[in-house]
Amino acid sequence: MKMLNLFIVSDSIGETGELVAKAAISQFRPGLQHTKLKRFPHIDSIDHIKEITELAKEQNAIILYTLVQTNMRDALIECCKQYQLESVDLIGPVLNLLENSLGEKPFEEPGLVRKLDEDYFKKIEAIEFAVKYDDGRDPRGLLQADIVLIGVSRTSKTPLSQYLANKRYKVANVPLVPEVEPPEELFQIDPAKCFGLVITPEKLNFIRKERLIAIGLNDDASYAKIERINDEIKHFDKVVRRIGCRVIDVTNRAVEETANEVINHIFKNN
């Protein structure tokens, strides 16, 4: 059986080229028997291309390449002609087709698809983090979080956590009630990443009454009484003073507005 020698040349990690090569080879040699695959990733200069084509000539290799920059593709084509090497451009024809169809120039920036994938997975990780450490479920998350939100019940901690998670921030939130001591981890974190959410007693009274009605309960429960709310806000004030964190008034404020204030503050302190 004839030995097959393939060079995979890429300006990124070369994963796409290798997958295409293996898919094609498997149609002839399912176990990739008598096949050598060598990947050349992060090729960013014409000197590299010259070295690779010289080596390919010595080893009688076929070159498959995924180079997004036109000048790099042109250089490889010329070198392959010079050494009479077989080569296949795996991405250039697609780029040319899209350029003609869209009437737009490609960015020609290596690794963009990988950057997009990394961004997606960071977002998923942040969303899972926000769910896991929502509502003070596990105080250990406070030490791992990028942002910590604290506040009394119904101050939009959870919606804000999810919104920030979609911006790729790992967020934990803790509800504050007078009868329960805040977790010790809350006082070990950097105050700059902690935000207290406060709301006027009147607004909170209205929100809590609506919540009680929505779940089929009487709206005159202690949870919605002004006296109880005032006690909770006093406790909240005491805790935020001890932490020394920033306080944001979320009364009549959209989640997006609060999120922007949090992000701007984090950005300024980094």
Side-chain angles (χ1 to χ4, degrees):
M1 185 178 285
K2 183 179 179 180
M3 175 61 69
L4 178 62
N5 199 4
L6 279 178
F7 283 7
I8 313 298
V9 180
S10 175
D11 46 24
S12 184
I13 62 172
E15 186 178 41
T16 301
E18 185 170 332
L19 286 172
V20 172
K22 287 180 176 178
I25 294 165
S26 67
Q27 296 298 313
F28 300 89
R29 300 169 184 181
L32 302 184
Q33 304 98 326
H34 298 277
T35 302
K36 288 183 180 179
L37 283 178
K38 184 171 178 60
R39 196 192 293 191
F40 295 86
H42 306 296
I43 301 306
D44 59 2
S45 76
I46 292 175
D47 285 341
H48 286 159
I49 285 174
K50 289 178 179 176
E51 291 170 6
I52 292 166
T53 50
E54 287 173 5
L55 186 62
K57 179 64 176 178
E58 291 174 13
Q59 299 185 11
N60 192 31
I62 296 171
I63 296 178
L64 305 186
Y65 57 99
T66 54
L67 300 168
V68 298
Q69 294 178 331
T70 304
N71 66 317
M72 297 291 282
R73 292 199 303 273
D74 290 344
L76 183 54
I77 290 168
E78 286 303 312
C79 286
C80 286
K81 284 181 180 178
Q82 179 184 342
Y83 292 114
Q84 297 182 317
L85 296 170
E86 295 287 345
S87 65
V88 180
D89 183 353
L90 297 176
I91 198 168
V94 180
L95 289 173
N96 293 335
L97 176 65
L98 293 177
E99 181 178 350
N100 292 332
S101 178
L102 298 172
E104 301 173 15
K105 290 287 185 182
F107 295 116
E108 296 197 352
E109 182 180 339
L112 275 182
V113 69
R114 187 168 180 82
K115 290 177 184 176
L116 289 173
D117 286 344
E118 288 174 356
D119 186 66
Y120 171 77
F121 286 116
K122 282 181 181 177
K123 182 187 290 189
I124 296 301
E125 184 182 3
I127 291 171
E128 290 176 347
F129 186 95
V131 171
K132 183 176 181 179
Y133 298 111
D134 182 46
D135 210 29
R137 289 175 188 161
D138 185 347
R140 290 174 298 181
L142 300 176
L143 302 176
Q144 304 168 39
D146 300 317
I147 296 170
V148 175
L149 306 175
I150 59 174
V152 301
S153 175
R154 314 310 297 176
T155 49
S156 299
K157 295 184 299 299
T158 296
L160 182 57
S161 294
Q162 287 297 321
Y163 186 92
L164 290 166
N166 273 278
K167 300 292 184 182
R168 298 173 302 284
Y169 291 99
K170 292 182 179 178
V171 187
N173 72 75
V174 179
L176 298 180
V177 291
E179 295 79 12
V180 180
E181 277 297 310
E184 278 303 313
E185 289 86 351
L186 196 56
F187 305 104
Q188 297 169 12
I189 63 173
D190 181 355
K193 73 174 185 179
C194 183
F195 297 85
L197 307 180
V198 72
I199 192 171
T200 63
E202 295 76 21
K203 181 67 175 180
L204 190 53
N205 172 252
F206 173 78
I207 292 172
R208 288 188 176 183
K209 281 185 176 182
E210 291 294 308
R211 175 60 179 165
L212 289 170
I213 293 170
I215 60 176
L217 298 177
N218 199 319
D219 68 357
D220 66 352
S222 172
Y223 172 73
K225 290 185 180 297
I226 284 289
E227 294 80 6
R228 168 65 187 184
I229 289 171
N230 284 330
D231 287 343
E232 290 186 28
I233 291 176
K234 285 178 184 176
H235 175 67
F236 165 85
D237 289 338
K238 180 181 175 182
V239 172
V240 296
R241 281 198 301 270
R242 182 178 169 190
I243 297 171
C245 66
R246 188 181 184 89
V247 175
I248 301 175
D249 189 340
V250 298
T251 308
N252 299 322
R253 186 185 284 226
V255 167
E256 294 84 353
E257 291 179 79
T258 307
N260 287 337
E261 183 167 340
V262 169
I263 291 169
N264 288 337
H265 184 75
I266 290 288
F267 182 78
K268 288 177 183 176
N269 283 276
N270 283 342

